[in-house]
Amino acid sequence: MLRDSLPTDESLFVVSLTVSDAIRPKVTVTLDGEQGVGIDECAQVSRRLARRIDEHYGEDASYTLEVTSPGADQPLRDPRQYTRHVGRSLALKLTDGTEKTGTLEAVEAEGIQLAEVVKEKTKKKTLPAALVPFQDIQEARVVISFK
């Protein structure tokens, strides 16, 4: 039911959908897109979802609906989110417990090309880009720089 109300525009996709377990449940939909997501797109999806919920559960249903985009501090959850971050620095936590930081050079079907930055004595060295499979990434965050 909800899936029918979610974006049909191929550039938008759902990153997460949660429903709180409360007397008045909160439905939170996080959207993203290849070019990001604007407030107008969130509002449009919110109206469509509210209409569908009302049609299915009745207008007297008690809930709170929030349609949002991921914040800059939130991890990347969907492989499609990486594309617009090419050229930026990422911090990765891998499933084997290791961590890597480097520049996202490219996105491929099976993973990302990361030019890892490593410390050697007192200076930093950038290694050639290497493939990091999506299945090996436990968490990826864009490193925010204020330089």
Side-chain angles (χ1 to χ4, degrees), residues 18-38:
T18 60
V19 180
S20 71
D21 188 22
I23 294 171
R24 181 183 169 113
K26 180 178 182 181
V27 178
T28 305
V29 180
T30 305
L31 301 175
D32 208 346
E34 294 173 9
Q35 305 300 316
V37 179

Side-chain angles (χ1 to χ4, degrees), residues 71-106:
D73 61 334
Q74 293 195 351
L76 305 178
R77 299 182 189 277
D78 188 295
R80 294 172 286 186
Q81 289 182 283
Y82 289 83
T83 304
R84 78 169 198 270
H85 296 292
V86 170
R88 291 185 172 158
S89 183
L90 293 184
L92 303 179
K93 290 182 185 174
L94 303 179
T95 54
D96 66 4
T98 61
E99 296 183 6
K100 295 182 180 215
T101 301
T103 303
L104 175 59
E105 298 288 332

